[in-house]
Amino acid sequence: MILIALSFTLAASLAIEAFDGRGVRPISRNPGDLALRLAAYALLFAFWFAFSWRPWLAAFSCVLTVAILAVVSRLKRGVIGEPLVFSDFALLRQVPRHPELYYTRPLTDPRMAGLLLASLLAVALWYGIEPAALPHEPSVAVLAVIALPLALWTLVQLSGYGALGRRLATRFPAPDLERDVARSGLPATILAYAARWRSTRPDEESGPADPLGSTEARDRVVVVVQLESFVDPVRLGGPALPLMDTLRARATQYGRLRVPAHGAYTMRTEHAVLTGRTPESLGFGVFDPYLAQGGAEPTSLARLARRVGFETVFIHPFHRDFFGRASVMTRLGFDHLIMEEAFTGAPRIGPYVGDVALAERVLAEVRARTAPLFVFCVTMENHGPWKPGRLPGLDDPHAQYLHHVAHTGDAVAALIAGLEGLPATLCVFGDHAPSLASCRPGFGGTATDYALLHFGDAAVAPLRRDLTADALGRKLRAELSPA
């Protein structure tokens, strides 16, 4: 019975992956590719079987898992432009805490709670109908119940090492998500990438040579602002933003910023700017650099700033636990964290603290400084989802985005005005393009906009130069040490 259920599982799972919702997708007939794909299905079957010892319940659970992975991956590809990856599962704990950020309903919503309850009742009913496939001898049954989970745990622990680890390293030497999913299937790629990530940590890249020694400008201010979902609205068919003309006329350097993702994954751009590290140096940690390193970056901008006497401040008007930012930013080298609890009573535009209020807090920190100051600030007002009910009388997502981005322009304009006359540097950049119907994956070559402004210096003709996010991070290192 177990073999029959397993055979059904393999065939059904293969059929699900072959059909992508738009037609039949060819499955690689290479023996190695096919074996790896089927092995992943079998591992999922064994995982569910270890919970129940009921072969048909395990078969149904495995097929349902593959179907859910395929659907979620298809939806993600349509919004963000890439399939599901192993690091996405680390974000699952955020979904019940912040359902509004993930286009889902809270678990307390009757529609969600009812579905979960019905699922639990169905599983309980299945337990009662299908007999367990355990040996009749009690001692052997107990041994089997212990042995199967232990075998799966051992396989997980050894997957990145020894002969199995070497085979995976040969087959998956570096991340190539689209190719690997096409070759080996989604479940196999998720499992293999997770094993490769566990066994290999990102290169200990030191980044550019540390140019910092001491700073003579004891009053110097460096403010870096990561603008949520920011691109020039003209690129989205919106009206001109006065800020963009100011930046092009006033900035020392400006242009398009090639970022690591579209529509999400703020942490990828954030990490690239704060560390100057290239995606290639992160190995399989490239999909979530905070999961990979947890902020343990000895050459981050904040650590370099502290080394030469700057106070380092991180400002973000949202929950401390999101992306584990509080602990990550502390390890990155920030002395002071100013987060959502510090913005009690601050104006909210829609569900989030307004950008103008955030700019006012940044300028308050600048005015209160007693030493050179490095501020890294992350805005929140224009975070998705943009959906009906977010703003009174304004239900169109595109119109909502443009409403918020106008406030972003006001906030940056306030920062420019507030820093005038100071020995200061201001850098602003978009973390990623918004996930709107008018801005699909691939928009603009996955590029946002950035600008670098200097105050208190002789005027310099603006220079248009397009950069990658990590290149901007390397450029910012020099801003912490005036010549």
Side-chain angles (χ1 to χ4, degrees), residues 388-467:
R390 176 179 177 128
L391 294 172
L394 197 63
D395 285 346
D396 177 66
H398 189 263
Q400 290 178 353
Y401 175 84
L402 295 177
H403 180 83
H404 290 303
V405 87
H407 296 158
T408 303
D410 294 339
V412 176
L415 288 172
I416 293 172
L419 294 174
E420 286 287 5
L422 298 178
T425 297
L426 172 65
C427 177
V428 296
F429 66 93
D431 59 350
H432 53 70
S435 54
L436 293 167
S438 57
C439 187
R440 286 305 186 191
F443 166 84
T446 319
T448 62
D449 294 273
Y450 85 96
L452 185 64
L453 300 92
H454 293 92
F455 304 87
D457 297 327
V460 177
L463 172 66
R464 164 72 187 264
R465 176 172 293 171
D466 297 344
L467 295 176

Side-chain angles (χ1 to χ4, degrees), residues 114-127:
L115 180 62
L116 290 173
L117 181 60
S119 300
L120 291 174
L121 290 174
V123 171
L125 182 62
W126 200 317
Y127 260 82

Side-chain angles (χ1 to χ4, degrees), residues 463-479:
L463 172 66
R464 164 72 187 264
R465 176 172 293 171
D466 297 344
L467 295 176
T468 60
D470 55 280
L472 177 61
R474 293 190 293 274
K475 182 171 182 58
L476 286 172
R477 303 165 84 88
E479 303 299 327

Side-chain angles (χ1 to χ4, degrees), residues 298-424:
T299 59
S300 74
L301 284 173
R303 286 184 178 274
L304 294 179
R306 273 172 41 177
R307 197 175 304 167
V308 295
F310 279 75
E311 291 181 359
T312 55
V313 179
F314 175 76
I315 307 178
H316 179 47
F318 198 59
H319 297 283
R320 287 175 169 267
D321 66 340
F322 196 66
F323 291 156
R325 267 205 180 101
S327 58
V328 168
M329 290 303 161
T330 299
R331 286 193 291 270
L332 279 167
F334 287 96
D335 298 310
H336 307 291
L337 307 182
I338 300 173
M339 305 194 77
E340 188 175 43
E341 66 276 6
F343 288 87
T344 302
R348 289 179 178 261
I349 313 298
Y352 310 117
V353 172
D355 287 351
V356 172
L358 182 58
E360 291 172 354
R361 183 56 191 257
V362 172
L363 292 175
E365 292 297 315
V366 170
R367 289 190 293 269
R369 71 193 183 284
T370 57
L373 180 66
F374 172 63
V375 178
F376 190 90
C377 168
V378 179
T379 72
M380 192 65 191
E381 178 182 336
N382 213 356
H383 198 293
W386 302 272
K387 58 184 181 181
R390 176 179 177 128
L391 294 172
L394 197 63
D395 285 346
D396 177 66
H398 189 263
Q400 290 178 353
Y401 175 84
L402 295 177
H403 180 83
H404 290 303
V405 87
H407 296 158
T408 303
D410 294 339
V412 176
L415 288 172
I416 293 172
L419 294 174
E420 286 287 5
L422 298 178

Side-chain angles (χ1 to χ4, degrees), residues 189-233:
T189 301
I190 289 173
L191 294 173
Y193 275 35
R196 292 286 288 129
W197 170 75
R198 287 186 67 254
S199 62
T200 59
R201 286 294 182 261
D203 298 338
E204 292 299 324
E205 182 184 90
S206 60
D210 183 358
L212 308 181
S214 63
T215 177
E216 298 176 359
R218 306 311 304 173
D219 200 34
R220 186 158 182 78
V221 175
V222 176
V223 177
V224 180
V225 186
Q226 180 172 280
L227 303 173
E228 175 61 44
S229 302
F230 181 80
V231 297
D232 181 353

Side-chain angles (χ1 to χ4, degrees), residues 56-92:
W56 287 106
L57 178 56
F60 174 79
S61 300
C62 178
V63 172
L64 182 61
T65 300
V66 174
I68 290 173
L69 291 177
V71 170
V72 172
S73 185
R74 194 177 306 140
L75 291 173
K76 181 190 169 189
R77 191 191 295 274
V79 174
I80 298 175
E82 71 177 36
L84 203 62
V85 292
F86 74 94
S87 59
D88 291 329
F89 293 89
L91 300 177
L92 284 177

